[in-house]
């Protein structure tokens, strides 16, 4: 894979980047709000709040497998058409969950996962077409900021909407916004998809594993796949287990644990565009990812060594460090993958990369939980995860390009 297309110049990417940031934030809200409202709506949902992880696993498993079909679907409907389809599936999925019951919950989760999976590939194809190289990392990082933005919005829904309107009306409101977004994207289709769907309409479906083989066959993209596996393991070890570690193992109060978690989360929101800007103008992306990997390693080692006597301020420092790296690297990683792919193949091959990412999303928490189930401590689990991040970071730093 070589860069053969002529890259666009100027700031035309700002409008698609902004629109895709909103789409990413809305779809992230759809997939993250259900676990947030589970403690409130658990009885009506049909599952206990502590079992909602099964719903999350089903949802992201659907995203994982559907990401492999992204290229074929983009070829038939255009990238904007796929974004619209994702918004539609998100709206239907979130509305399905309001019907209550286990069946509605898991059908809704499947629809949400199917809608969430192809969105990043379609968005990446649009961004790659409109973004010049000198802004590539910051553009992808800003777009990927929609994920933590969705987390913030999910918490806001609980605080602002659920109390006065109820959880079902709140979810239906989110679904309605998704439908509005789908309609608004139609106005972008003529410019952003002009000639694209027709050009790719004859593309055969082929083997579902073809995008995965394509992304693993080229050295630069294969390297990013391996790095992403270890980085996402750290990211979800932080987002899934940090509060339980602080509360159960260290003995902090629930308020202290929540405050440290929130600090890590906000650090990620700020760090994504900041790391993108650094990668565009100061430190080469591969080297920056290497530094991020070593910092993740150091942060996890610190968590593995902390005890009940460790000052609370130290936990905040490590949370900020891990939040800014483990939750901040994603946009730079996706930009690096897109840079190694011809622009007209970004949506197709990015689907293979996203399959690897979703594999880590699904398996990372399972591996961490497995360590705990086998009698290991949170400290041991964080220490073991640090090894992968450290090796990956050093490997990235030693690359020559």
């Amino acid at each position: 894979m070589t860069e053969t297309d002529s890259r666009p110049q100027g700031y035309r990417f700002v409008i698609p980047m902004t629109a895709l940031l909103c789409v990413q934030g809305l779809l992230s809200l759809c997939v993250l709000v259900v676990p947030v409202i589970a403690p409130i709506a658990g009885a009506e949902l049909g599952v206990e709040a502590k079992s909602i992880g099964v719903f999350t696993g089903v949802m992201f498993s659907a995203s994982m497998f559907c990401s492999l079909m992204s290229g074929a679907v983009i070829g038939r409907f255009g990238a904007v058409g796929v974004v619209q389809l994702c918004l539609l599936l998100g709206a239907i999925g979130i509305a399905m969950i309001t019907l209550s019951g286990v069946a509605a919950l898991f059908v809704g989760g499947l629809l949400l996962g199917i809608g969430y999976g192809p969105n990043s590939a379609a968005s990446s194809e649009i961004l790659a077409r409109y973004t010049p190289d000198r802004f590539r990392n910051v553009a992808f990082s800003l777009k990927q900021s929609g994920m933590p933005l969705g987390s913030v919005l999910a918490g806001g829904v609980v605080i602002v909407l659920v109390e006065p309107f109820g959880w079902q009306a709140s979810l239906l409101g989110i679904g309605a916004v998704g439908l509005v977004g789908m309609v608004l994207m139609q106005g972008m289709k003529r410019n952003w998809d002009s000639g694209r769907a027709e050009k790719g309409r004859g593309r055969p479906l082929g083997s579902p594993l073809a995008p995965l083989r394509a992304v693993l066959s080229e050295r630069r993209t294969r390297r990013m796949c391996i790095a992403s596996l270890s980085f996402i393991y750290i990211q979800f070890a932080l987002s899934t287990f940090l509060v339980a570690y602080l509360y159960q193992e260290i003995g902090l109060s629930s308020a202290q644990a929540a405050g440290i978690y929130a600090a890590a989360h906000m650090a990620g929101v700020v760090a994504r565009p900041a790391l993108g800007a650094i990668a565009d103008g100061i430190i080469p992306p591969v080297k920056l990812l290497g530094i991020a990997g070593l910092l993740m390693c150091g942060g996890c080692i610190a968590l593995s060594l902390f005890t009940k006597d460790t000052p609370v301020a130290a936990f905040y420092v490590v949370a900020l460090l891990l939040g800014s790296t483990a939750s901040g690297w994603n946009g730079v990683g996706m930009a690096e993958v897109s840079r190694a792919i011809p622009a007209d193949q970004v949506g197709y091959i990015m689907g293979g990369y996203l399959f690897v990412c979703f594999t880590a999303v699904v398996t990372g928490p399972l591996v961490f939980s497995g360590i705990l189930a086998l009698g290991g401590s949170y400290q041991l689990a964080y220490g073991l995860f640090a090894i992968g991040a450290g090796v990956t970071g050093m490997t990235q730093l030693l690359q020559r390009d």
Side-chain angles (χ1 to χ4, degrees), residues 337-370:
V337 172
S338 75
R339 184 178 284 108
I341 306 170
D344 60 351
Q345 296 183 33
V346 168
Y348 177 70
I349 297 177
M350 189 67 75
Y353 171 70
L354 291 169
F355 177 84
V356 174
C357 292
F358 281 121
T359 299
V361 170
V362 173
T363 61
L366 293 177
V367 172
F368 199 104
S369 296

mmCIF file of all heavy atoms in Angstrom, residues 337-370:
data_model
loop_
_atom_site.group_PDB
_atom_site.id
_atom_site.type_symbol
_atom_site.label_atom_id
_atom_site.label_comp_id
_atom_site.label_asym_id
_atom_site.label_seq_id
_atom_site.Cartn_x
_atom_site.Cartn_y
_atom_site.Cartn_z
ATOM 1 N N VAL A 337 -2.845 4.685 10.501
ATOM 2 C CA VAL A 337 -3.338 3.621 9.613
ATOM 3 C C VAL A 337 -3.814 4.211 8.296
ATOM 4 O O VAL A 337 -3.489 3.718 7.210
ATOM 5 C CB VAL A 337 -4.469 2.831 10.298
ATOM 6 C CG1 VAL A 337 -5.129 1.858 9.307
ATOM 7 C CG2 VAL A 337 -3.935 2.062 11.502
ATOM 8 N N SER A 338 -4.596 5.289 8.366
ATOM 9 C CA SER A 338 -5.132 5.884 7.134
ATOM 10 C C SER A 338 -4.024 6.424 6.241
ATOM 11 O O SER A 338 -4.146 6.430 5.012
ATOM 12 C CB SER A 338 -6.121 7.003 7.480
ATOM 13 O OG SER A 338 -5.449 8.170 7.912
ATOM 14 N N ARG A 339 -2.938 6.883 6.836
ATOM 15 C CA ARG A 339 -1.822 7.424 6.060
ATOM 16 C C ARG A 339 -1.143 6.337 5.222
ATOM 17 O O ARG A 339 -0.565 6.611 4.173
ATOM 18 C CB ARG A 339 -0.809 8.083 6.999
ATOM 19 C CG ARG A 339 0.351 8.754 6.277
ATOM 20 C CD ARG A 339 1.297 9.427 7.249
ATOM 21 N NE ARG A 339 0.747 10.676 7.755
ATOM 22 C CZ ARG A 339 0.302 10.867 8.978
ATOM 23 N NH1 ARG A 339 0.316 9.865 9.851
ATOM 24 N NH2 ARG A 339 -0.167 12.028 9.357
ATOM 25 N N ALA A 340 -1.205 5.108 5.688
ATOM 26 C CA ALA A 340 -0.543 4.007 4.991
ATOM 27 C C ALA A 340 -1.413 3.383 3.908
ATOM 28 O O ALA A 340 -0.985 2.448 3.240
ATOM 29 C CB ALA A 340 -0.140 2.929 6.004
ATOM 30 N N ILE A 341 -2.637 3.919 3.719
ATOM 31 C CA ILE A 341 -3.602 3.315 2.803
ATOM 32 C C ILE A 341 -3.982 4.340 1.736
ATOM 33 O O ILE A 341 -4.204 5.512 2.065
ATOM 34 C CB ILE A 341 -4.880 2.885 3.565
ATOM 35 C CG1 ILE A 341 -4.537 1.971 4.740
ATOM 36 C CG2 ILE A 341 -5.865 2.190 2.636
ATOM 37 C CD1 ILE A 341 -5.715 1.719 5.670
ATOM 38 N N PRO A 342 -4.079 3.944 0.472
ATOM 39 C CA PRO A 342 -4.625 4.854 -0.540
ATOM 40 C C PRO A 342 -6.014 5.326 -0.132
ATOM 41 O O PRO A 342 -6.800 4.567 0.443
ATOM 42 C CB PRO A 342 -4.672 3.988 -1.804
ATOM 43 C CG PRO A 342 -3.619 2.953 -1.581
ATOM 44 C CD PRO A 342 -3.634 2.667 -0.109
ATOM 45 N N ALA A 343 -6.341 6.585 -0.414
ATOM 46 C CA ALA A 343 -7.576 7.188 0.086
ATOM 47 C C ALA A 343 -8.819 6.420 -0.333
ATOM 48 O O ALA A 343 -9.794 6.346 0.418
ATOM 49 C CB ALA A 343 -7.677 8.642 -0.391
ATOM 50 N N ASP A 344 -8.825 5.829 -1.543
ATOM 51 C CA ASP A 344 -10.024 5.130 -1.994
ATOM 52 C C ASP A 344 -10.168 3.743 -1.375
ATOM 53 O O ASP A 344 -11.145 3.039 -1.636
ATOM 54 C CB ASP A 344 -10.043 5.016 -3.524
ATOM 55 C CG ASP A 344 -8.852 4.244 -4.072
ATOM 56 O OD1 ASP A 344 -7.915 3.936 -3.284
ATOM 57 O OD2 ASP A 344 -8.853 3.945 -5.277
ATOM 58 N N GLN A 345 -9.213 3.326 -0.531
ATOM 59 C CA GLN A 345 -9.311 2.034 0.149
ATOM 60 C C GLN A 345 -9.408 2.168 1.672
ATOM 61 O O GLN A 345 -9.433 1.159 2.375
ATOM 62 C CB GLN A 345 -8.083 1.168 -0.192
ATOM 63 C CG GLN A 345 -7.972 0.794 -1.650
ATOM 64 C CD GLN A 345 -6.779 -0.119 -1.911
ATOM 65 O OE1 GLN A 345 -6.408 -0.931 -1.067
ATOM 66 N NE2 GLN A 345 -6.172 0.033 -3.078
ATOM 67 N N VAL A 346 -9.486 3.399 2.163
ATOM 68 C CA VAL A 346 -9.463 3.607 3.610
ATOM 69 C C VAL A 346 -10.633 2.911 4.288
ATOM 70 O O VAL A 346 -10.470 2.200 5.282
ATOM 71 C CB VAL A 346 -9.462 5.111 3.939
ATOM 72 C CG1 VAL A 346 -9.748 5.331 5.426
ATOM 73 C CG2 VAL A 346 -8.118 5.729 3.577
ATOM 74 N N GLY A 347 -11.855 3.104 3.751
ATOM 75 C CA GLY A 347 -13.011 2.493 4.378
ATOM 76 C C GLY A 347 -12.938 0.987 4.398
ATOM 77 O O GLY A 347 -13.337 0.330 5.376
ATOM 78 N N TYR A 348 -12.413 0.413 3.315
ATOM 79 C CA TYR A 348 -12.337 -1.046 3.188
ATOM 80 C C TYR A 348 -11.321 -1.634 4.159
ATOM 81 O O TYR A 348 -11.636 -2.533 4.956
ATOM 82 C CB TYR A 348 -11.958 -1.386 1.741
ATOM 83 C CG TYR A 348 -11.766 -2.857 1.464
ATOM 84 C CD1 TYR A 348 -12.845 -3.726 1.460
ATOM 85 C CD2 TYR A 348 -10.497 -3.369 1.188
ATOM 86 C CE1 TYR A 348 -12.671 -5.084 1.187
ATOM 87 C CE2 TYR A 348 -10.308 -4.705 0.921
ATOM 88 C CZ TYR A 348 -11.401 -5.567 0.918
ATOM 89 O OH TYR A 348 -11.223 -6.896 0.659
ATOM 90 N N ILE A 349 -10.102 -1.103 4.141
ATOM 91 C CA ILE A 349 -9.033 -1.685 4.965
ATOM 92 C C ILE A 349 -9.178 -1.262 6.429
ATOM 93 O O ILE A 349 -8.818 -2.010 7.343
ATOM 94 C CB ILE A 349 -7.666 -1.304 4.385
ATOM 95 C CG1 ILE A 349 -7.529 -1.902 2.987
ATOM 96 C CG2 ILE A 349 -6.532 -1.787 5.276
ATOM 97 C CD1 ILE A 349 -6.254 -1.538 2.261
ATOM 98 N N MET A 350 -9.726 -0.067 6.674
ATOM 99 C CA MET A 350 -9.948 0.364 8.052
ATOM 100 C C MET A 350 -10.888 -0.598 8.776
ATOM 101 O O MET A 350 -10.790 -0.759 10.003
ATOM 102 C CB MET A 350 -10.520 1.780 8.079
ATOM 103 C CG MET A 350 -10.579 2.394 9.468
ATOM 104 S SD MET A 350 -8.954 2.723 10.206
ATOM 105 C CE MET A 350 -8.460 4.180 9.293
ATOM 106 N N GLY A 351 -11.798 -1.241 8.036
ATOM 107 C CA GLY A 351 -12.668 -2.231 8.656
ATOM 108 C C GLY A 351 -11.885 -3.365 9.291
ATOM 109 O O GLY A 351 -12.243 -3.870 10.364
ATOM 110 N N GLY A 352 -10.786 -3.782 8.656
ATOM 111 C CA GLY A 352 -9.935 -4.816 9.239
ATOM 112 C C GLY A 352 -9.230 -4.328 10.485
ATOM 113 O O GLY A 352 -9.114 -5.064 11.481
ATOM 114 N N TYR A 353 -8.763 -3.093 10.458
ATOM 115 C CA TYR A 353 -8.115 -2.520 11.646
ATOM 116 C C TYR A 353 -9.106 -2.414 12.803
ATOM 117 O O TYR A 353 -8.786 -2.744 13.951
ATOM 118 C CB TYR A 353 -7.540 -1.151 11.305
ATOM 119 C CG TYR A 353 -7.044 -0.375 12.498
ATOM 120 C CD1 TYR A 353 -5.900 -0.784 13.182
ATOM 121 C CD2 TYR A 353 -7.722 0.755 12.949
ATOM 122 C CE1 TYR A 353 -5.442 -0.075 14.296
ATOM 123 C CE2 TYR A 353 -7.271 1.470 14.054
ATOM 124 C CZ TYR A 353 -6.137 1.040 14.727
ATOM 125 O OH TYR A 353 -5.693 1.736 15.822
ATOM 126 N N LEU A 354 -10.322 -1.975 12.508
ATOM 127 C CA LEU A 354 -11.327 -1.835 13.562
ATOM 128 C C LEU A 354 -11.730 -3.191 14.129
ATOM 129 O O LEU A 354 -12.082 -3.285 15.313
ATOM 130 C CB LEU A 354 -12.548 -1.098 13.016
ATOM 131 C CG LEU A 354 -12.306 0.374 12.696
ATOM 132 C CD1 LEU A 354 -13.477 0.950 11.913
ATOM 133 C CD2 LEU A 354 -12.078 1.177 13.980
ATOM 134 N N PHE A 355 -11.683 -4.240 13.308
ATOM 135 C CA PHE A 355 -11.945 -5.584 13.828
ATOM 136 C C PHE A 355 -10.936 -5.922 14.926
ATOM 137 O O PHE A 355 -11.300 -6.468 15.981
ATOM 138 C CB PHE A 355 -11.869 -6.605 12.699
ATOM 139 C CG PHE A 355 -12.045 -8.029 13.154
ATOM 140 C CD1 PHE A 355 -13.308 -8.571 13.316
ATOM 141 C CD2 PHE A 355 -10.947 -8.830 13.433
ATOM 142 C CE1 PHE A 355 -13.485 -9.878 13.736
ATOM 143 C CE2 PHE A 355 -11.097 -10.137 13.866
ATOM 144 C CZ PHE A 355 -12.376 -10.664 14.010
ATOM 145 N N VAL A 356 -9.675 -5.597 14.683
ATOM 146 C CA VAL A 356 -8.642 -5.838 15.693
ATOM 147 C C VAL A 356 -8.929 -5.013 16.946
ATOM 148 O O VAL A 356 -8.823 -5.514 18.079
ATOM 149 C CB VAL A 356 -7.251 -5.490 15.126
ATOM 150 C CG1 VAL A 356 -6.176 -5.604 16.206
ATOM 151 C CG2 VAL A 356 -6.907 -6.404 13.952
ATOM 152 N N CYS A 357 -9.314 -3.746 16.764
ATOM 153 C CA CYS A 357 -9.600 -2.885 17.911
ATOM 154 C C CYS A 357 -10.777 -3.414 18.726
ATOM 155 O O CYS A 357 -10.708 -3.476 19.963
ATOM 156 C CB CYS A 357 -9.887 -1.465 17.437
ATOM 157 S SG CYS A 357 -8.451 -0.604 16.731
ATOM 158 N N PHE A 358 -11.853 -3.790 18.049
ATOM 159 C CA PHE A 358 -13.014 -4.306 18.774
ATOM 160 C C PHE A 358 -12.704 -5.649 19.432
ATOM 161 O O PHE A 358 -13.275 -5.978 20.479
ATOM 162 C CB PHE A 358 -14.211 -4.441 17.837
ATOM 163 C CG PHE A 358 -14.921 -3.136 17.556
ATOM 164 C CD1 PHE A 358 -15.035 -2.663 16.257
ATOM 165 C CD2 PHE A 358 -15.453 -2.391 18.588
ATOM 166 C CE1 PHE A 358 -15.687 -1.458 15.996
ATOM 167 C CE2 PHE A 358 -16.104 -1.184 18.338
ATOM 168 C CZ PHE A 358 -16.227 -0.726 17.043
ATOM 169 N N THR A 359 -11.809 -6.429 18.830
ATOM 170 C CA THR A 359 -11.380 -7.672 19.481
ATOM 171 C C THR A 359 -10.749 -7.373 20.829
ATOM 172 O O THR A 359 -11.012 -8.052 21.829
ATOM 173 C CB THR A 359 -10.379 -8.424 18.586
ATOM 174 O OG1 THR A 359 -11.010 -8.765 17.346
ATOM 175 C CG2 THR A 359 -9.901 -9.701 19.268
ATOM 176 N N ALA A 360 -9.930 -6.328 20.879
ATOM 177 C CA ALA A 360 -9.312 -5.936 22.148
ATOM 178 C C ALA A 360 -10.350 -5.397 23.121
ATOM 179 O O ALA A 360 -10.267 -5.650 24.330
ATOM 180 C CB ALA A 360 -8.228 -4.890 21.884
ATOM 181 N N VAL A 361 -11.333 -4.651 22.607
ATOM 182 C CA VAL A 361 -12.398 -4.122 23.467
ATOM 183 C C VAL A 361 -13.153 -5.258 24.150
ATOM 184 O O VAL A 361 -13.492 -5.187 25.337
ATOM 185 C CB VAL A 361 -13.370 -3.251 22.644
ATOM 186 C CG1 VAL A 361 -14.604 -2.898 23.466
ATOM 187 C CG2 VAL A 361 -12.675 -1.977 22.165
ATOM 188 N N VAL A 362 -13.426 -6.328 23.387
ATOM 189 C CA VAL A 362 -14.197 -7.458 23.926
ATOM 190 C C VAL A 362 -13.345 -8.327 24.846
ATOM 191 O O VAL A 362 -13.790 -8.742 25.921
ATOM 192 C CB VAL A 362 -14.786 -8.296 22.772
ATOM 193 C CG1 VAL A 362 -15.436 -9.576 23.303
ATOM 194 C CG2 VAL A 362 -15.812 -7.472 21.994
ATOM 195 N N THR A 363 -12.100 -8.614 24.426
ATOM 196 C CA THR A 363 -11.292 -9.593 25.169
ATOM 197 C C THR A 363 -10.521 -8.985 26.338
ATOM 198 O O THR A 363 -10.227 -9.683 27.315
ATOM 199 C CB THR A 363 -10.295 -10.292 24.232
ATOM 200 O OG1 THR A 363 -9.402 -9.315 23.656
ATOM 201 C CG2 THR A 363 -11.032 -11.026 23.128
ATOM 202 N N GLY A 364 -10.175 -7.682 26.253
ATOM 203 C CA GLY A 364 -9.385 -7.063 27.310
ATOM 204 C C GLY A 364 -10.023 -7.196 28.689
ATOM 205 O O GLY A 364 -9.385 -7.690 29.634
ATOM 206 N N PRO A 365 -11.282 -6.754 28.864
ATOM 207 C CA PRO A 365 -11.920 -6.925 30.171
ATOM 208 C C PRO A 365 -12.054 -8.383 30.588
ATOM 209 O O PRO A 365 -11.995 -8.698 31.784
ATOM 210 C CB PRO A 365 -13.305 -6.285 29.964
ATOM 211 C CG PRO A 365 -13.091 -5.286 28.867
ATOM 212 C CD PRO A 365 -12.099 -5.937 27.947
ATOM 213 N N LEU A 366 -12.231 -9.289 29.610
ATOM 214 C CA LEU A 366 -12.323 -10.707 29.947
ATOM 215 C C LEU A 366 -10.998 -11.223 30.501
ATOM 216 O O LEU A 366 -10.974 -12.002 31.467
ATOM 217 C CB LEU A 366 -12.737 -11.516 28.717
ATOM 218 C CG LEU A 366 -14.150 -11.275 28.179
ATOM 219 C CD1 LEU A 366 -14.378 -12.097 26.909
ATOM 220 C CD2 LEU A 366 -15.193 -11.611 29.226
ATOM 221 N N VAL A 367 -9.886 -10.804 29.899
ATOM 222 C CA VAL A 367 -8.578 -11.230 30.388
ATOM 223 C C VAL A 367 -8.336 -10.687 31.797
ATOM 224 O O VAL A 367 -7.880 -11.399 32.700
ATOM 225 C CB VAL A 367 -7.464 -10.762 29.424
ATOM 226 C CG1 VAL A 367 -6.084 -11.032 30.023
ATOM 227 C CG2 VAL A 367 -7.601 -11.463 28.078
ATOM 228 N N PHE A 368 -8.655 -9.419 32.002
ATOM 229 C CA PHE A 368 -8.473 -8.802 33.315
ATOM 230 C C PHE A 368 -9.332 -9.533 34.358
ATOM 231 O O PHE A 368 -8.853 -9.876 35.453
ATOM 232 C CB PHE A 368 -8.853 -7.323 33.252
ATOM 233 C CG PHE A 368 -8.309 -6.485 34.370
ATOM 234 C CD1 PHE A 368 -7.233 -5.638 34.165
ATOM 235 C CD2 PHE A 368 -8.881 -6.525 35.634
ATOM 236 C CE1 PHE A 368 -6.727 -4.849 35.194
ATOM 237 C CE2 PHE A 368 -8.400 -5.747 36.666
ATOM 238 C CZ PHE A 368 -7.318 -4.906 36.450
ATOM 239 N N SER A 369 -10.603 -9.778 34.004
ATOM 240 C CA SER A 369 -11.492 -10.496 34.913
ATOM 241 C C SER A 369 -10.989 -11.905 35.181
ATOM 242 O O SER A 369 -11.126 -12.425 36.289
ATOM 243 C CB SER A 369 -12.915 -10.552 34.332
ATOM 244 O OG SER A 369 -13.469 -9.264 34.219
ATOM 245 N N GLY A 370 -10.410 -12.542 34.146
ATOM 246 C CA GLY A 370 -9.869 -13.890 34.321
ATOM 247 C C GLY A 370 -8.736 -13.927 35.324
ATOM 248 O O GLY A 370 -8.629 -14.864 36.122
#
